[in-house]
Amino acid sequence: MQPSSISPLHTFSQQRRDCLRAGGALALGGLLPGVHAEEAWPSRSVRFVVPFAPGGSSEIVARSTAVELTKTLGQSVFVDNKPGAAGNIAMSEVARSSDQHTLILGHIGTLAVNPYIFPKLPYDPAKDFKPVSLLAKVPSLYVVHPDLPVKNLKEFIAYAKARPGNLSYGSAGNGSAGHLAFEYLKMTAEIFMLHVPYRGTGPMVNDLLSGRVPASAIGAAAVIPFIKSGKLRCIATGSVQRLPQLPDVPTVAEQGFPGFEMTQWYGMMAPSNLSDAQIAKLSAETMKAVKAPEALKRLTGDAAEAIGGTPEQFTQFIASEQVRWKKVIARAAIQPS
């Protein structure tokens, strides 16, 4: 039998070269599409969409969160306002986003109201999005123009009842938090008023300040400066307790309606194509962002309550709000404009 012409040393060297080539291929595979190793996220700037016009509580909460996330995520987080169709335009766009660097501000209207007032919603809140974290709650303030001859909620209700259908209120749009807040008050107090929907909080506040529309329910952050300057009069707060910023203004509950509470809420949502690992990272950073000292200072100054929480907690909260507002919408017969 002839001895093999391939020496053991040659065989070892060949195996070593094969291993090195395999290792290089694996390393290169991390740069190629279709590999399992997940790219570090975020790898570029993140767009945080606000589905409403500038000037309302939504923008205040979003910008405060974006500032803090920019510090911790290692990439710029910028706010992009895209109003229209009660938030449906922005929600639909982000639901179909494939770049994994676009997020959206979830809201009582887009997540808990629109599913029950639009027969053909262009997005599915449960299937198209993943909840990240509840960010903040903002109490609704019931405000009137100073020319309206009422000083508190009881006087306002009496004034409205004496003029059924002759008094109007403005909101940021059909199905907006302000719309819900006033319909909730109307049902509770048994008054009849006309609804004037606007395209966003900013335009509505402008008309409220000028007296073109006499009343509204607005997130505290957007109107406290006007209340303190005397340009608007707050007749009640929708909070459980009086606000430190407005200690002399009683709650709705204090003025004859025990148990009444009306707060707007905002949370971060991501398109469903983000991985669980990305959601977990984003949620952890978001919870830290809303509780950061500077963020707390900004939010508290605007009467907003920082919340935070896990994706699971936010998912449960959304479900409970959907149950609550489905009943109100049915009773008020709220329809899309």
Side-chain angles (χ1 to χ4, degrees):
M1 183 165 119
Q2 295 295 324
S4 170
S5 61
I6 302 176
S7 70
L9 180 61
H10 175 82
T11 301
F12 175 79
S13 299
Q14 182 64 40
Q15 290 174 340
R16 184 172 182 273
R17 283 194 297 271
D18 290 343
C19 288
L20 287 174
R21 279 197 295 268
L26 287 172
L28 182 60
L31 302 177
L32 296 176
V35 298
H36 295 291
E38 190 167 309
E39 180 182 326
W41 186 93
S43 59
R44 55 184 173 83
S45 60
V46 176
R47 176 176 168 238
F48 191 14
V49 178
V50 174
F52 306 106
S57 301
S58 58
E59 187 178 23
I60 293 169
V61 172
R63 290 193 182 279
S64 176
T65 305
V67 167
E68 298 302 324
L69 284 177
T70 295
K71 300 175 184 177
T72 61
L73 284 181
Q75 296 288 345
S76 173
V77 180
F78 66 95
V79 172
D80 182 15
N81 292 87
K82 286 190 71 68
N88 289 347
I89 292 176
M91 291 291 284
S92 178
E93 177 192 322
V94 175
R96 287 153 183 74
S97 175
S98 60
D99 65 5
Q100 295 194 327
H101 287 76
T102 298
L103 309 171
I104 193 161
L105 188 72
H107 173 257
I108 182 176
T110 57
L111 298 176
V113 176
N114 290 2
Y116 305 112
I117 66 174
F118 289 92
K120 293 183 179 179
L121 203 62
Y123 62 92
D124 187 320
K127 295 180 180 179
D128 293 337
F129 297 93
K130 289 183 178 180
V132 177
S133 181
L134 182 61
L135 299 178
K137 291 182 179 180
V138 179
S140 292
L141 304 186
Y142 294 89
V143 298
V144 298
H145 188 272
D147 288 347
L148 205 67
V150 297
K151 302 295 183 183
N152 53 52
L153 183 61
K154 289 184 178 180
E155 292 183 1
F156 177 79
I157 291 172
Y159 188 84
K161 284 187 174 180
R163 299 162 180 80
N166 292 328
L167 197 61
S168 63
Y169 74 92
S171 82
N174 258 18
S176 66
H179 185 193
L180 293 176
F182 231 106
E183 288 300 322
Y184 192 26
L185 178 65
K186 283 171 56 181
M187 288 180 0
T188 303
E190 298 180 341
I191 56 178
F192 175 50
M193 295 175 60
L194 299 177
H195 174 221
V196 182
Y198 284 76
R199 292 187 176 181
T201 299
M204 189 275 296
V205 170
N206 288 337
D207 274 8
L208 183 62
L209 290 170
S210 68
R212 290 189 184 94
V213 63
S216 185
I218 316 175
V223 289
I224 280 182
F226 300 120
I227 294 169
K228 290 187 173 182
S229 67
K231 294 180 179 179
L232 294 175
R233 178 181 300 131
C234 185
I235 57 174
T237 71
S239 50
V240 175
Q241 299 177 336
R242 295 194 185 195
L243 300 180
Q245 297 86 348
L246 301 170
D248 297 328
V249 180
T251 66
V252 173
E254 287 181 279
Q255 299 185 72
F257 304 97
F260 187 100
E261 180 185 358
M262 181 63 217
T263 57
Q264 303 181 27
W265 50 264
Y266 304 92
M268 182 179 288
M269 304 291 287
S272 59
N273 61 5
L274 260 70
S275 70
D276 290 343
Q278 290 168 337
I279 293 292
K281 176 181 179 179
L282 181 59
S283 178
E285 295 301 333
T286 299
M287 284 191 280
K288 289 189 289 185
V290 296
K291 295 297 180 74
E294 290 185 21
L296 284 174
K297 184 178 179 180
R298 284 190 293 266
L299 293 173
T300 302
D302 289 314
E305 178 188 3
I307 304 295
T310 65
E312 293 75 20
Q313 290 170 328
F314 190 22
T315 299
Q316 293 172 2
F317 177 79
I318 293 170
S320 66
E321 284 290 280
Q322 288 175 340
V323 171
R324 176 189 181 192
W325 291 109
K326 182 179 181 180
K327 297 176 182 177
V328 174
I329 292 163
R331 287 188 59 187
I334 297 175
Q335 299 292 328
S337 55

